[in-house]
């Protein structure tokens, strides 16, 4: 058997994000760098670089230094990227917090990441971020700004509000910009020169199969190079204008979007949150050439009642990722949205994230049935999950990769890191795959229990542990249930305590009030026992079978996942 390898050319760059950002700002000074069309907000490269430098100096004035962790809990507001590029230049690690998180998850990330400062907006959907933080850190109301001392979060020293409003115990961004205007150039220049490409620049929390999320440490080298090759697969140039309605806290936004645009001098056309009407309007108004999204986003745009009034003929390419794309949706994206060169990408946060991607000239069938070929400078092999032996053409096994893209590790979790990155540097994805004679890869299932709901990775174990805190529940298992809109959704299989009087809605409400909405089970089933293997392992594929039977879902909708479970049962 042979490894499926690619040529490993020299990497695109060994520089840092800050250094490349300044180079691009000088090269494309008066071209558009970032646009918010619904706000009428335009930044040229020169303007945005100057704004970023002022904020970087303000952060230094606040006492932040290289190696510190600054969290950001915000929608795609304009200064999200100002903070990103400012921290990148200072060697500060930007810790991204999922916008859907609630107090339970925020408390975990604040503590586990050793966060020294947190920047946040007012809130998102049903979560008031400011009030949530006050509840977790009551000392904010009584301590002077910059002198925070929290019993629960001893590392936290500063809180920054991203906006004009003033809140007790917090700085706001205008104050930091003002602080930055009065700082000398010497310190920031010295710090910039010391930042290295292998330094961690970003930590993203990703769900695994073993409880709470892990902080994936990504370096400048990881995400700059990955972004470049992603842009190359779309044939990006400085003439491209990329409509980005996906969240920046996720690799889809910050790497596939921002890093691909940065490395090619392209323009970012941003949306604060996804709205199909605003996305269509942005494409028309700014003559976007690329559009990003998960399949559900493209479906919402195509099915919007006002779709036909928009001129989308400027579109050429983009990325659809996060979950498999149905053939009919792909055909409509190509024909009705004029994205003849739309691409599909596959990866995971630990891989920076993209490992495989289709090209602009791949046939439609390839873009639906495969995830394309391996990106340059990455090695890939498919192995037998039981023996570790390398498999050949059209043999299903676990996909592993090695190269510049593999994360630095999970923050403060060396044992967990060692379970996914072996001694030879291979990242074990947990995804089952095959490859054909031409080098196209297909993802055929998962060797782990991960649920992927509309592009969001969800750990069943995390939700199970959460529900063990609910009165009235004796035991619970969580599994993915097929869904036509999201691909799969959460099913909770509950064994109630004797005499407990709990309903399906009680189970959902317990989650809605405490954890992110996308982790709330859509389906709740009360059962007397769980199906077990001979050695006592719970057979989650049989729980899915039970759910499908109860819901009238066809077996073909979950064959791939069942095969995945069967292989590891």
């Amino acid at each position: 058997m042979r490894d499926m390898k690619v040529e490993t050319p020299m990497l695109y760059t060994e520089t840092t994000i800050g250094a490349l950002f300044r180079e691009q700002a000088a090269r494309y000074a008066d071209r558009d760098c970032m646009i918010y069309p619904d706000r009428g907000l335009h930044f040229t490269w020169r303007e945005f670089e100057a704004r970023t430098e002022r904020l970087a100096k303000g952060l230094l004035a606040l006492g932040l230094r290289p190696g510190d962790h600054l969290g950001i809990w915000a929608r795609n507001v304009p200064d999200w990227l100002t903070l990103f590029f400012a921290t990148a230049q200072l060697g500060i690690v930007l810790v991204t917090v999922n916008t859907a998180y609630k107090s339970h998850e925020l408390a975990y990330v604040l503590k586990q990441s050793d966060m020294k400062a947190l920047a946040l907006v007012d809130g998102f959907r049903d979560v008031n971020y400011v009030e949530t933080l006050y509840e977790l850190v009551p000392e904010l109301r009584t301590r002077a700004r910059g002198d925070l001392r929290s019993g629960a979060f001893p590392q936290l020293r500063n809180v920054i509000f991203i906006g004009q409003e003033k809140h007790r115990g917090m700085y706001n961004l205008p104050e930091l910009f003002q602080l930055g205007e009065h700082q000398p150039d010497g310190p920031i220049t010295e710090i910039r020169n010391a930042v290295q490409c292998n330094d961690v620049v970003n930590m993203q929390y990703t769900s695994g199969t073993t409880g709470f999320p892990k902080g994936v440490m990504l370096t400048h080298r990881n995400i700059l190079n990955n972004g470049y090759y992603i842009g190359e697969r779309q044939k990006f140039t400085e003439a491209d204008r990329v409509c980005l309605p996906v969240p920046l806290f996720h690799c889809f936004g910050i790497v596939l979007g921002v890093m691909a645009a940065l490395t090619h001098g392209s323009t970012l056309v941003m949306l604060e949150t996804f709205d199909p009407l605003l996305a269509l309007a942005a494409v028309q108004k700014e003559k976007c050439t690329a559009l990003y999204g998960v399949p559900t986003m493209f479906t919402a745009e195509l099915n919007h009642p006002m779709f036909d009034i928009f001129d989308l003929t400027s579109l050429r390419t983009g990325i659809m990722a996060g979950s498999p794309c149905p053939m009919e949706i792909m055909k409509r994206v190509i024909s009705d949205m004029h994205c003849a060169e739309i691409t599909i990408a596959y990866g995971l946060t630990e891989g920076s994230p993209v490992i495989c991607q289709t090209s602009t000239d791949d046939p439609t069938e390839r873009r639906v049935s495969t995830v394309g070929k391996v990106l340059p400078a990455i090695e890939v092999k498919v192995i037998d999950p039981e023996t570790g032996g390398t498999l050949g053409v059209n043999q299903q096994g676990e996909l592993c990769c090695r190269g510049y893209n593999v994360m630095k590790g999970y923050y403060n979790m060396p044992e967990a890191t060692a379970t996914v990155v072996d001694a030879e540097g291979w990242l074990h994805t947990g995804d089952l795959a095959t490859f054909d004679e031409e080098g196209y890869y297909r993802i055929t299932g998962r060797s782990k229990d991960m649920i992927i709901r509309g592009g969001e990775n969800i750990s069943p174990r995390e939700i199970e542990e959460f529900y063990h805190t609910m009165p009235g529940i004796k035991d619970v298992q969580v599994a993915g249930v097929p869904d036509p809109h999201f691909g799969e959704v959460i099913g909770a299989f509950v064994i109630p305590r004797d005499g407990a009087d709990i309903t399906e809605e009680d189970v959902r409400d317990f989650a809605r009030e405490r954890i992110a909405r996308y982790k709330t089970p859509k389906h709740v089933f009360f059962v007397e026992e769980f199906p077990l293997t001979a050695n006592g392992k719970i057979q989650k594929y049989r729980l899915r079978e039970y759910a499908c039977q109860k819901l009238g879902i066809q077996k073909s909708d979950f064959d791939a996942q069942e095969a995945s479970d069967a292989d590891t049962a």
Side-chain angles (χ1 to χ4, degrees):
M1 299 297 181
R2 63 187 178 90
D3 289 9
M4 240 343 251
K5 294 184 179 180
V6 295
E7 294 296 322
T8 53
M10 290 183 63
L11 286 181
Y12 159 69
T13 185
E14 295 283 2
T15 191
T16 65
I17 290 170
L20 182 63
F21 175 59
R22 293 192 301 278
E23 288 175 17
Q24 299 292 62
R27 182 177 293 118
Y28 303 114
D30 295 318
R31 295 181 66 94
D32 286 329
C33 173
M34 183 172 66
I35 299 170
Y36 278 78
D38 58 328
R39 296 182 177 213
L41 184 63
H42 286 65
F43 286 111
T44 65
W45 283 89
R46 190 199 312 273
E47 290 168 340
F48 189 52
E49 196 272 335
R51 186 174 182 83
T52 296
E53 177 155 329
R54 285 200 305 276
L55 182 55
K57 290 179 177 180
L59 293 174
L60 286 180
L62 214 59
L64 288 163
R65 293 294 181 266
D68 287 342
H69 291 182
L70 186 153
I72 181 165
W73 195 23
R75 309 176 300 277
N76 291 1
V77 293
D79 278 318
W80 204 110
L81 287 178
T82 317
L83 277 160
F84 174 82
F85 284 107
T87 53
Q89 296 191 58
L90 297 175
I92 294 170
V93 179
L94 191 71
V95 180
T96 55
V97 182
N98 191 313
T99 54
Y101 276 6
K102 295 186 178 178
S103 59
H104 183 73
E105 295 124 328
L106 178 65
Y108 171 79
V109 172
L110 280 172
K111 183 170 289 187
Q112 203 282 329
S113 70
D114 292 324
M115 200 178 290
K116 189 169 183 179
L118 173 66
L120 76 167
V121 293
D122 50 355
F124 182 59
R125 292 180 177 161
D126 59 338
V127 185
N128 184 314
Y129 291 178
V130 174
E131 288 304 316
T132 298
L133 192 63
Y134 279 139
E135 289 171 10
L136 289 175
V137 191
E139 297 92 341
L140 260 182
R141 295 187 185 275
T142 58
R143 303 284 301 196
R145 295 183 307 174
D147 189 38
L148 178 61
R149 296 293 186 273
S150 167
F153 309 102
Q155 300 294 330
L156 191 63
R157 289 289 181 271
N158 279 292
V159 177
I160 302 162
F161 184 75
I162 306 174
Q164 303 286 333
E165 296 85 354
K166 294 188 176 182
H167 296 281
R168 180 72 181 169
M170 304 181 192
Y171 287 93
N172 65 17
L173 273 193
E175 290 171 323
L176 292 193
F177 284 119
Q178 188 172 18
L179 276 173
E181 288 177 358
H182 298 93
Q183 302 301 313
D185 292 336
I188 191 172
T189 300
E190 183 178 342
I191 288 172
R192 281 171 174 166
N193 292 337
V195 178
Q196 302 294 312
C197 69
N198 284 315
D199 292 344
V200 177
V201 67
N202 182 211
M203 266 173 55
Q204 301 201 12
Y205 277 79
T206 184
S207 290
T209 57
T210 54
F212 281 104
K214 305 174 185 70
V216 177
M217 295 185 289
L218 299 175
T219 68
H220 297 257
R221 190 173 187 261
N222 286 150
I223 66 175
L224 257 186
N225 286 288
N226 204 242
Y228 172 75
Y229 294 121
I230 290 163
E232 287 292 283
R233 285 284 164 99
Q234 299 172 85
K235 294 186 170 63
F236 275 179
T237 71
E238 68 273 13
D240 280 294
R241 298 166 79 83
V242 185
C243 183
L244 199 64
V246 297
L248 290 169
F249 71 79
H250 193 280
C251 270
F252 199 169
I254 202 64
V255 183
L256 282 73
V258 177
M259 292 298 101
L262 170 65
T263 53
H264 291 81
S266 307
T267 300
L268 289 168
V269 178
M270 302 294 302
L271 291 184
E272 192 168 315
T273 58
F274 173 70
D275 178 281
L277 186 62
L278 292 180
L280 294 168
V283 169
Q284 174 177 290
K285 182 179 180 181
E286 299 301 335
K287 300 189 185 310
C288 295
T289 59
L291 177 62
Y292 281 25
V294 297
T296 53
M297 290 180 175
F298 282 97
T299 301
E301 289 154 0
L302 286 163
N303 293 334
H304 195 280
M306 297 178 67
F307 176 82
D308 290 335
I309 74 170
F310 292 100
D311 179 2
L312 308 179
T313 54
S314 61
L315 285 174
R316 173 183 65 83
T317 188
I319 297 178
M320 197 184 307
S323 59
C325 174
M327 173 65 84
E328 290 307 310
I329 296 299
M330 176 62 79
K331 287 180 178 177
R332 289 193 63 197
V333 169
I334 291 172
S335 62
D336 299 354
M337 299 184 82
H338 307 282
C339 283
E341 299 177 5
I342 190 82
T343 67
I344 297 288
Y346 158 77
L348 66 165
T349 306
E350 293 88 338
S352 297
V354 174
I355 299 169
C356 300
Q357 186 177 354
T358 60
S359 299
T360 56
D361 53 0
D362 280 331
T364 302
E365 188 276 332
R366 289 288 198 190
R367 286 183 253 176
V368 173
S369 64
T370 80
V371 292
K373 297 181 179 181
V374 182
L375 291 186
I378 298 174
E379 292 180 86
V380 166
K381 65 179 179 179
V382 175
I383 66 168
D384 184 317
E386 297 298 324
T387 68
T390 303
L391 301 176
V393 172
N394 296 322
Q395 292 183 300
Q396 178 179 271
E398 184 183 12
L399 189 148
C400 302
C401 74
R402 181 169 67 180
Y404 75 86
N405 66 311
V406 175
M407 66 172 178
K408 200 160 190 174
Y410 294 126
Y411 182 67
N412 279 348
M413 292 183 174
E415 292 181 1
T417 301
T419 65
V420 295
V421 181
D422 66 28
E424 296 180 342
W426 289 100
L427 171 64
H428 293 249
T429 67
D431 290 320
L432 300 175
T434 64
F435 62 89
D436 63 22
E437 294 83 355
E438 297 179 61
Y440 287 91
Y441 282 76
R442 288 177 170 82
I443 304 303
T444 56
R446 292 193 294 280
S447 62
K448 298 178 181 177
D449 291 330
M450 189 79 70
I451 299 169
I452 301 181
R453 176 191 179 275
E456 284 281 4
N457 287 4
I458 300 169
S459 163
R461 176 74 177 275
E462 178 186 351
I463 301 172
E464 289 161 2
E465 290 183 357
F466 168 75
Y467 269 122
H468 277 113
T469 68
M470 179 177 172
I473 287 184
K474 179 180 179 181
D475 203 353
V476 61
Q477 289 292 315
V478 169
V481 177
D483 182 83
H485 185 64
F486 291 106
E488 59 182 342
V489 292
I490 297 171
F493 302 81
V494 176
I495 299 178
R497 292 189 181 278
D498 292 341
D501 183 21
I502 56 174
T503 66
E504 294 178 14
E505 201 57 29
D506 291 334
V507 175
R508 294 191 193 93
D509 284 345
F510 189 78
R512 287 190 189 109
E513 295 167 4
R514 295 169 176 83
I515 61 175
R517 185 170 61 172
Y518 68 87
K519 297 178 186 176
T520 300
K522 181 176 181 180
H523 305 293
V524 177
F525 306 93
F526 291 107
V527 297
E528 295 181 358
E529 60 184 5
F530 301 130
L532 305 174
T533 63
N535 62 0
K537 180 180 177 182
I538 294 171
Q539 295 174 306
K540 292 206 174 186
Y541 78 92
R542 288 184 59 191
L543 292 176
R544 275 187 291 276
E545 285 182 344
Y546 175 83
C548 290
Q549 181 183 7
K550 287 286 188 181
L551 299 169
I553 298 172
Q554 295 299 310
K555 185 177 184 296
S556 59
D557 293 336
F558 65 101
D559 277 344
Q561 184 59 47
E562 178 180 350
S564 166
D565 279 348
D567 285 344
T568 57

